[in-house]
Amino acid sequence: DTAVSQTPKYLVTQMGNDKSIKCEQNLGHDTMYWYKQDSKKFLKIMFSYNNKELIINETVPNRFSPKSPDKAHLNLHINSLELGDSAVYFCASSQKGQDYGYTFGSGTRLTVV
Amino acid sequence: LAKTTQPISMDSYEGQEVNITCSHNNIATNDYITWYQQFPSQGPRFIIQGYKTKVTNEVASLFIPADRKSSTLSLPRVSLSDTAVYYCLVGDIGAGGTSYGKLTFGQGTILTVHP
């Protein structure tokens, strides 16, 4: 059973398109996140949701909009894609009080051409 | 969050013990120290977390001196499959932590294990 699953794994699209990445966790965690890993391999937090409530929104363009229909799902919608959006996007989840860290998905490699 | 500094890369051979040291001079009282491992094309995976002294699990040991300004991840008897990037993070993200999402990853240490 995959703990944190993201779809799709690969996404190639043209500039200007709108795309979505889906994430689901079956761990019963109350917090979910989106991270972006650029070509230099730096991982940066984008958003964090706790029980469907947005609690962290880092300096991310308005073209990125997260949506959490329930605490097991956190989707990322990106409008008007740009070349600089090309990266690997990781979804993660955690539970307050746990001592085993965050659980990450396997990533979605987005390539904008 | 406290900034961390770790070596950019390390090389080792199968069967050796590997120690990766991380400096975090500005660690706060409530901060925990956490290490993650990342293989190519995968998300980071939690390895170990500690607050002070020594913590050991089935994968690694974490040594934290009394001043907590540094920590050392120890991997016993590495194998080729331990080749990965290892990240050291500090933050109020322990068992009683409240800093949701404030995991800040540095550049990590690229560990290469040779046959």
Side-chain angles (χ1 to χ4, degrees), chain A residues 4-9 11 20-23 33-38 43-47 60-61 63-64 76-78 81-92 104-112, chain B residues 38 42-44:
Chain A
V4 179
S5 59
Q6 301 177 223
T7 55
K9 188 170 178 63
L11 184 54
S20 293
I21 306 172
K22 295 184 177 181
C23 179
Y33 316 84
W34 278 110
Y35 277 80
K36 177 181 179 181
Q37 188 167 41
D38 58 26
L43 271 159
K44 297 180 182 177
I45 180 74
M46 299 175 69
F47 301 104
V60 177
R63 299 181 293 102
F64 289 80
L76 183 64
H77 187 76
I78 314 170
L81 279 155
E82 300 177 357
L83 293 177
D85 297 332
S86 296
V88 182
Y89 293 84
F90 288 99
C91 177
F104 283 81
S106 57
T108 295
R109 182 173 294 277
L110 171 65
T111 303
V112 183
Chain B
Q38 185 177 25
Q42 293 187 28

Side-chain angles (χ1 to χ4, degrees), chain B:
Chain B
L1 289 182
K3 181 179 177 181
T4 59
T5 303
Q6 36 179 140
I8 294 175
S9 63
M10 293 181 68
D11 289 89
S12 183
Y13 292 90
E14 284 191 289
Q16 289 186 336
E17 178 185 76
V18 171
N19 295 310
I20 306 175
T21 298
C22 178
S23 297
H24 28 80
N25 293 320
N26 298 321
I27 190 168
T29 302
N30 294 334
D31 287 343
Y32 283 71
I33 300 156
T34 311
W35 285 80
Y36 282 78
Q37 173 192 56
Q38 185 177 25
F39 297 113
S41 301
Q42 293 187 28
R45 183 176 74 103
F46 173 86
I47 300 176
I48 198 166
Q49 179 175 280
Y51 184 81
K52 61 180 179 180
T53 63
K54 176 184 175 182
V55 180
T56 298
N57 61 22
E58 64 278 4
V59 177
S61 293
L62 179 59
F63 298 92
I64 305 168
D67 66 5
R68 303 199 328 122
K69 294 183 183 297
S70 66
S71 59
T72 299
L73 174 72
S74 181
L75 304 172
R77 300 181 61 80
V78 294
S79 64
L80 296 177
S81 62
D82 291 317
T83 294
V85 180
Y86 291 82
Y87 295 97
C88 164
L89 299 89
V90 295
D92 182 16
I93 50 177
T98 59
S99 299
Y100 295 107
K102 283 300 186 181
L103 271 184
T104 301
F105 287 78
Q107 64 183 10
T109 297
I110 301 172
L111 173 65
T112 304
V113 180
H114 302 277

Side-chain angles (χ1 to χ4, degrees), chain A residues 19-87:
Chain A
K19 291 292 178 185
S20 293
I21 306 172
K22 295 184 177 181
C23 179
E24 176 182 2
Q25 55 96 1
N26 62 5
L27 298 167
H29 289 169
D30 60 6
T31 306
M32 296 185 71
Y33 316 84
W34 278 110
Y35 277 80
K36 177 181 179 181
Q37 188 167 41
D38 58 26
S39 57
K40 295 184 178 180
K41 305 300 182 184
F42 284 103
L43 271 159
K44 297 180 182 177
I45 180 74
M46 299 175 69
F47 301 104
S48 172
Y49 268 76
N50 177 252
N51 282 321
K52 300 192 298 177
E53 180 182 349
L54 179 65
I55 56 175
I56 290 177
N57 183 351
E58 292 296 295
T59 307
V60 177
N62 291 336
R63 299 181 293 102
F64 289 80
S65 55
K67 283 187 171 52
S68 182
D70 55 61
K71 74 174 190 176
H73 296 83
L74 180 60
N75 304 322
L76 183 64
H77 187 76
I78 314 170
N79 291 325
S80 303
L81 279 155
E82 300 177 357
L83 293 177
D85 297 332
S86 296

